Amino acid sequence: MASRETDISSIGEFGLIDRIRKIIGDGPRGIDASNHLVLGISDDAAVFRPTPGKVQILTTDTFAEGVHFDLTFTSMRHLGWKVMAASLSDIAAMGGIPRFATVAISLPGKITVPMVEELYSGIAASMKAYSYIVVGGDTTGSAGNMAVTVSMTGEADERHLLFRRGAVPGDYLCVSGHLGSSIAGLKVLQREKARHSSEKDPGEFRPNLGPYAAALEKHFMPKPRFDLIALITDRVRVNSMIDISDGLASEVHHLCRESGVGAAVHEHNLPLEGVTQRIAAEFGDAATDYALLGGEEYELLFTLSDGEYAKLGEFTEDVSIVGRIVEKEKGITYVREDGTSVPLVRGGWDHFTPKGPGHD
């Protein structure tokens, strides 16, 4: 068995691919790919047959070290899960189910064979949880930091496809789950990293993470909401949908722009867990800012009529009304608890703004 210090150079690219194939295998048990998958990991490209009567969905996401993840406090197994969650959530937000994925990894010299195996163990756990198959990818060296790119296909009944466009004035603006926990967990991790760096004897340092388990799980292992999608496509009619990857405020703007409408988001309706509120208080922050501006939630933001919302409420309590869709001329506003209304700052994560996340 390889030691923890095994360099990738000692087994080469093809040796590494062989190890990856053993971890990924032919996909989780219970997935019958015989009618769809023609050829997986073994040739220049994967080959699969689309399902008759279905439309195909394709999405791609890249995670770059130093931008999307910090290996100081992110395990490779958690990273494997999380890079897949981003693409899975995109598929869910379209009303689809995942089918096949490819994973491309760029690896600097500091990454060892066991680290790559741990990365793919996280990917394999995601495959088992969400019933899709990794059918290929690419491996390359990197002169800088590590990067992972995931491409994923899904499929959906065309009648059940969901888009960002389609919201109409009068719709309820709804979210699944709770918001702000992922950024709250990240704040704790960054604080503990800073504490470790300031210790005179780092070897004796023990991070204080126990009280924040729920927020850390949300940050490291977000759960794409296929459970809710199954209910929605079977039971109710949703007019528009987007997943919350860059922050609620940012996604509201995306949805409104594509639908040609405005919106009013109400502060007192934002769903916040107790751990999120506690962390925000420790940092002297407003928990509502975490809900509005924090990214990597992978919850769903969607709109539907009041009648359809009543139907959805018969099957789940894990949905909150956070506002209402209004006419475009009324703009996109944030209604504070005291009743005053201000423009909803877009905020959220933007890779190319020099001001960083949380600014418009």
Side-chain angles (χ1 to χ4, degrees), residues 38 81 83 92 99 111 148 168 183 223 261 303 316 319 355:
V38 178
W81 176 281
V83 297
R99 284 299 187 197
I111 304 299
V148 184
V168 296
I183 188 68
K223 308 296 193 299
V261 296
T303 73
T316 180
V319 170
K355 295 175 287 187

Side-chain angles (χ1 to χ4, degrees), residues 59-335:
T59 185
T60 299
D61 290 280
T62 294
F63 279 68
E65 182 185 356
V67 178
H68 300 93
F69 62 91
D70 185 337
L71 290 179
T72 303
F73 50 70
T74 303
S75 75
M76 295 297 277
R77 184 177 177 86
H78 282 148
L79 179 61
W81 176 281
K82 195 168 183 177
V83 297
M84 306 312 294
S87 292
L88 286 164
S89 187
D90 287 339
I91 299 292
M94 301 294 292
I97 59 173
R99 284 299 187 197
F100 303 107
T102 60
V103 180
I105 50 178
S106 296
L107 304 172
K110 66 183 178 182
I111 304 299
T112 64
V113 171
M115 291 171 74
V116 176
E117 291 176 329
E118 277 296 295
L119 176 78
Y120 275 87
S121 71
I123 293 172
S126 172
M127 290 168 55
K128 182 177 180 180
Y130 296 103
S131 300
Y132 66 94
I133 303 173
V134 172
V135 294
D138 189 31
T139 57
T140 182
S142 170
N145 286 336
M146 179 181 176
V148 184
T149 296
V150 175
S151 294
M152 184 174 290
T153 67
E155 65 180 32
D157 187 316
E158 191 165 3
R159 297 168 301 171
H160 295 155
L161 273 174
L162 300 168
F163 303 100
R164 298 179 181 185
R165 66 177 187 266
V168 296
D171 276 2
Y172 284 131
L173 189 64
C174 300
V175 297
S176 63
H178 296 88
L179 302 180
S181 296
S182 180
I183 188 68
L186 178 60
K187 294 271 284 189
V188 169
L189 291 165
Q190 291 173 334
R191 180 184 66 190
E192 297 306 296
K193 177 182 177 180
R195 287 182 59 218
H196 176 266
S197 298
S198 65
E199 284 286 326
K200 293 182 179 179
D201 186 0
E204 296 298 317
F205 176 77
R206 296 295 179 269
N208 179 28
L209 301 177
Y212 314 106
L216 296 177
E217 181 175 2
K218 182 72 171 181
H219 180 72
F220 285 133
M221 297 192 69
K223 308 296 193 299
R225 296 308 303 269
F226 289 101
D227 57 331
L228 188 58
I229 287 297
L231 280 175
I232 287 173
T233 55
D234 287 345
R235 314 268 184 159
V236 301
R237 178 184 175 185
V238 166
N239 291 334
S240 63
M241 180 176 286
I242 186 173
D243 76 321
I244 304 175
S245 56
D246 296 327
L248 176 64
S250 178
E251 311 304 359
V252 169
H253 276 268
H254 286 314
L255 190 149
C256 288
R257 183 178 65 243
E258 293 302 316
S259 295
V261 296
V265 175
H266 292 264
E267 181 179 34
H268 70 275
N269 285 348
L270 297 177
L272 295 160
E273 287 189 303
V275 65
T276 304
Q277 295 173 311
R278 188 170 70 252
I279 292 170
E282 289 182 13
F283 284 91
D285 297 329
T288 50
D289 284 349
Y290 289 5
L292 290 170
L293 306 177
E296 296 186 334
E297 302 281 3
Y298 302 124
E299 296 290 347
L300 299 172
L301 170 68
F302 57 98
T303 73
L304 73 178
S305 68
D306 53 357
E308 293 300 307
Y309 178 80
K311 288 164 57 177
L312 181 61
E314 297 176 9
F315 305 106
T316 180
E317 297 180 353
D318 197 24
V319 170
S320 302
I321 297 172
V322 296
R324 203 97 189 211
I325 296 297
V326 299
E327 290 77 11
K328 182 178 182 180
E329 295 73 24
K330 294 183 178 179
I332 302 172
T333 59
Y334 182 56
V335 183

